[in-house]
């Protein structure tokens, strides 16, 4: 395949293919989700024709390999742009979620600390209540024993009083019978 030079403009400057145009094409490709959709085959005039050198002097020619390399560079740049765009969007979406996770974690840790403190306080109260119950049980038992002893003492005293009263009554009835005349 023979290469033909690019046509010259009236002021004798060649048509230039700039990287800026290639980047614009790559961004357009990224928007359509397919870098190959815009340039499925290299356009013959753009990719395989000649471009001028940086000095503006002679005309250089691009072969099919160079055109393929340029197309691959455009595709690669489009893929990088898409990856950068997706990464930026991912960061934008994940930042608020990360903040929510941090706030939720801090809240959960605060609640765990508060529950731990409440648990310790409840455990201390339960120990104090158990000690009071044991003390009350001991006092109850001591009072029950004292009550039983007091009842036994009262019962003994009552029995002694009954015995003494019977003896007095027997003595009184014997004295009344002795003092009264017999009929």
């Amino acid at each position: 395949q023979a290469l033909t030079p690019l046509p010259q403009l009236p002021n004798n400057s060649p048509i230039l293919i700039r990287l800026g145009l290639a980047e614009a094409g790559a961004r357009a490709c990224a928007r359509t989700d397919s870098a190959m959709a815009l340039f499925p085959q290299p356009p013959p005039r753009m990719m395989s024709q000649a471009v001028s050198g940086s000095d503006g002097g002679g005309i250089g020619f691009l072969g099919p390999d160079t055109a393929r390399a340029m197309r691959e560079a455009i595709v690669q740049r489009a893929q990088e742009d898409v990856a950068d765009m997706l990464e930026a969007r991912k960061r934008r979406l994940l930042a608020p979620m990360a903040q929510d996770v941090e706030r939720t974690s801090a809240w959960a840790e605060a609640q765990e600390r508060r529950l731990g403190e409440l648990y310790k306080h409840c455990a201390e109260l339960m120990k104090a209540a158990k000690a009071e119950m044991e003390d009350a049980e001991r006092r109850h038992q001591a009072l029950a024993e004292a009550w039983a002893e007091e009842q036994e003492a009262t019962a003994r005293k009552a029995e002694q009083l009954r015995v003494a009263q019977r003896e007095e009554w027997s003595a009184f009835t014997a004295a009344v019978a002795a003092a009264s005349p017999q009929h």
Side-chain angles (χ1 to χ4, degrees):
Q1 175 179 0
L3 298 177
T4 58
L6 288 174
Q8 297 289 320
L9 294 177
N11 62 0
N12 291 332
S13 65
I15 297 174
L16 299 178
I17 298 176
R18 296 187 182 266
L19 184 58
L21 293 175
E23 286 180 5
R27 289 201 175 128
C29 290
R31 286 190 203 102
T32 62
D33 292 333
S34 170
M36 295 305 288
L38 195 59
F39 299 116
Q41 292 293 324
R45 282 193 180 267
M46 191 163 114
M47 299 303 247
S48 62
Q49 299 273 334
V51 294
S52 81
S54 60
D55 60 346
I59 297 176
F61 291 95
L62 297 178
D65 292 337
T66 307
R68 189 177 310 113
M70 286 178 65
R71 188 175 75 181
E72 288 173 2
I74 291 171
V75 169
Q76 182 178 2
R77 177 62 189 202
Q79 289 173 344
E80 290 172 0
D81 285 349
V82 168
D84 291 345
M85 188 173 52
L86 290 175
E87 186 63 32
R89 181 166 180 140
K90 181 179 175 183
R91 279 192 302 268
R92 275 196 319 266
L93 292 175
L94 290 180
M97 287 191 281
Q99 291 173 350
D100 287 345
V101 167
E102 288 176 19
R103 282 195 309 264
T104 305
S105 296
W107 179 84
E109 289 172 4
Q111 293 302 316
E112 286 178 5
R113 277 195 304 274
R114 189 174 74 84
L115 288 174
E117 291 168 0
L118 289 174
Y119 175 79
K120 288 178 185 176
H121 182 69
C122 287
E124 291 170 0
L125 287 175
M126 288 176 61
K127 286 179 184 177
K130 185 177 178 182
E132 284 184 27
M133 289 290 291
E134 290 172 353
D135 185 45
E137 187 65 33
R138 282 192 296 272
R139 284 185 294 164
H140 174 71
Q141 192 173 7
L143 287 174
E145 289 173 3
W147 175 258
E149 289 174 8
E150 189 66 32
Q151 280 185 326
E152 288 176 16
T154 303
R156 281 193 302 270
K157 183 86 166 170
E159 187 61 35
Q160 288 172 357
L161 289 175
R162 272 190 234 114
V163 170
Q165 185 182 17
R166 272 192 228 129
E167 288 175 1
E168 283 180 15
W169 181 255
S170 296
F172 175 73
T173 55
V176 169
S180 71
Q182 297 258 317
H183 320 45

